[in-house]
Each structure stands twice: as C-alpha cells, then as structure tokens.
Amino acid sequence: MKKKGIMMVAIIMVAISAFAAVNGGWIKVKDSCDNCSITSYSYKCGKCNSGMSFSTKWDNKQIYLVYTFTCRKCHHQCIYKIKAG
C-alpha cells in the first residue's frame, strides 16, 4: 500500500512538471473567450482557431513582458504576460 501511495505522488509530480513545461510560464491577464491557446510554440485563437500575431511591451516594474495577441482572421485579442529573465 505504501508503494502505491509513493507511486501516485510521483505520477502527479511528473504530470504537474510536464504541464508547467508545456505552458512555458505564460500568465493570462485578459482573454474574453477563455479558449485561446498560448504556448511557447503556437498562438491559436479560441474563437476561430486561426493563428495570432502579437506585440510586446514591458510592465511598469519591468518584471514581466506583456504580450497582446491579435487574431489574424477575426481580430479577437487576448493579453498574457511572462516573467523576464
């Protein structure tokens, strides 16, 4: 029984680590549809599933880089930030 418990904890820790690696540290600031898919490798609109372009700026304290993603097709916007450094 003890081995099963340790194995379950190990599986959960690996799953959490994998999710953090895939997510890449993106923090959602604003996403009205709540379905946009933003990762380090792709940016997909949650409304029409098209690609998105982005612009960047620093936050006030220059700790986070703030990305504004805009859909190329429907012009939906969402804002995410990522810690610099």
Side-chain angles (χ1 to χ4, degrees):
M1 187 67 177
K2 209 175 196 182
K3 288 183 181 180
K4 276 188 172 181
I6 292 172
M7 183 62 93
M8 288 301 286
V9 169
I11 290 171
I12 291 170
M13 293 298 287
V14 169
I16 291 171
S17 299
F19 175 75
V22 169
N23 195 24
W26 292 101
I27 300 167
K28 182 178 8 176
V29 176
K30 179 184 171 191
D31 183 3
S32 61
C33 76
D34 206 30
N35 287 324
C36 292
S37 174
I38 306 298
T39 67
S40 297
Y41 304 108
S42 68
Y43 323 119
K44 295 236 177 187
C45 177
K47 287 189 171 187
C48 68
N49 207 28
S50 294
M52 301 179 91
S53 59
F54 66 89
S55 61
T56 60
K57 68 177 183 176
W58 286 101
D59 69 340
N60 293 338
K61 297 180 183 180
Q62 293 191 350
I63 297 172
Y64 290 97
L65 198 52
V66 179
Y67 286 74
T68 301
F69 294 92
T70 305
C71 179
R72 293 182 182 130
K73 187 175 180 181
C74 72
H75 304 290
H76 168 69
Q77 285 191 332
C78 61
I79 301 171
Y80 282 73
K81 66 182 180 179
I82 192 165
K83 196 165 191 170

